[in-house]
Amino acid sequence: MGISERKEKQKQEIRKMILDASLKLFMEQGFENVSIRKIADLIEYSPTTVYLYFKDKNEILFNLHELGFQKMAEYNTDLWTIKNPLVRLTKMGEYYLQFGLENPAFYELMFILKAPMEALEALDANCEWKSGDQALGKLKNTLQECMDKNLIEKGDVDAMAMAIWSMVHGMVALAIRDRFDKLVPRDQMVPMMNKSLTWLLNALDVSGKKT
């Protein structure tokens, strides 16, 4: 490995340290209570070093937000090889639940905390939530394909997408905020989530029904 490669590797390592430390502090102390100095102290670098990589806290938060969506996309890598859109829709829901339960800090940042949206607004005057729109777009495209192939009840694709997303989001939110296991034994939590998802999709499924 040459000098330039080593320098680039070191830069990427420091950048990751900053993001990891920031995520930890944001979740523990709240976005408003975390300063660049606190982040620098945690990684044992100077605040100046942090500013070499990110111009402010908003930019750090935005990068963490985008990193979360990248991680979620990794759970979905095999989705688009599934040709049956109804099977794909089920897997999409299951992977969403799995991602949320396995990555609670990122999930909070992406879908629960208000601060990322405020940071996005500060960075983008149009305040477009592109990552969220893209995720919802893939869900809507799969639903539309299901309807086009007469696999599910036809309806307003926007309303259907919001209903499905709201359901899986609600279950993840209850779980990572320590509510779900107060209602269902912990060892039955994931099976119950998948059972609930299956129930909803079965209610839409008309693939085996006579017309």
Side-chain angles (χ1 to χ4, degrees):
M1 184 183 293
I3 294 175
S4 60
E5 287 86 357
R6 281 200 298 271
K7 286 184 176 179
E8 181 59 30
K9 184 173 183 291
Q10 184 183 37
K11 285 174 62 177
Q12 292 304 316
E13 288 173 348
I14 294 173
R15 186 177 188 278
K16 184 178 184 302
M17 286 172 59
I18 294 170
L19 290 173
D20 288 346
S22 300
L23 180 60
K24 182 177 186 296
L25 290 172
F26 290 158
M27 299 311 299
E28 289 178 353
Q29 302 181 21
F31 179 70
E32 295 300 328
N33 299 318
V34 176
S35 64
I36 293 293
R37 178 167 292 281
K38 283 185 178 181
I39 296 168
D41 287 345
L42 186 57
I43 64 173
E44 299 182 340
Y45 277 84
S46 70
T48 303
T49 300
V50 178
Y51 282 117
L52 289 174
Y53 292 84
F54 302 98
K55 69 178 183 179
D56 55 24
K57 281 197 309 177
N58 283 339
E59 188 173 14
I60 293 174
L61 192 62
F62 177 76
N63 276 268
L64 283 170
H65 176 269
E66 293 300 292
L67 182 59
F69 276 97
Q70 290 173 24
K71 284 182 174 291
M72 188 167 72
E74 292 171 6
Y75 281 69
N76 297 329
T77 50
D78 69 338
L79 273 182
W80 318 115
T81 65
I82 301 174
K83 293 185 178 180
N84 184 320
L86 188 54
V87 175
R88 191 190 319 138
L89 183 63
T90 302
K91 285 295 180 184
M92 191 179 291
E94 291 174 355
Y95 291 161
Y96 185 97
L97 293 170
Q98 183 183 358
F99 168 78
L101 295 176
E102 293 179 357
N103 301 273
F106 275 110
Y107 192 88
E108 290 245 11
L109 198 68
M110 294 159 65
F111 298 116
I112 295 178
L113 297 181
K114 189 176 180 180
M117 294 297 97
E118 294 172 344
L120 180 59
E121 188 172 359
L123 291 168
D124 182 359
N126 295 322
C127 196
E128 294 181 358
W129 191 30
K130 293 180 181 177
S131 296
D133 287 343
Q134 289 171 1
L136 183 60
K138 290 174 181 176
L139 173 57
K140 289 196 288 189
N141 288 342
T142 300
L143 280 167
Q144 188 62 57
E145 188 178 350
C146 285
M147 286 190 282
D148 292 343
K149 293 184 176 180
N150 296 314
L151 297 176
I152 64 173
E153 294 279 356
K154 295 189 185 300
D156 185 322
V157 70
D158 293 320
M160 294 168 73
M162 289 307 299
I164 293 171
W165 192 357
S166 297
M167 181 185 189
V168 290
H169 166 72
M171 290 194 292
V172 173
L174 284 170
I176 65 176
R177 291 297 184 93
D178 297 325
R179 303 293 194 280
F180 208 102
D181 61 351
K182 302 297 186 293
L183 307 171
V184 176
R186 183 171 289 274
D187 62 343
Q188 296 178 29
M189 187 169 68
V190 174
M192 181 58 72
M193 288 182 173
N194 288 327
K195 187 176 180 180
S196 299
L197 174 65
T198 299
W199 173 84
L200 177 62
L201 297 182
N202 282 347
L204 296 174
D205 184 1
V206 295
S207 60
K209 299 176 183 177
K210 293 182 180 180
T211 56

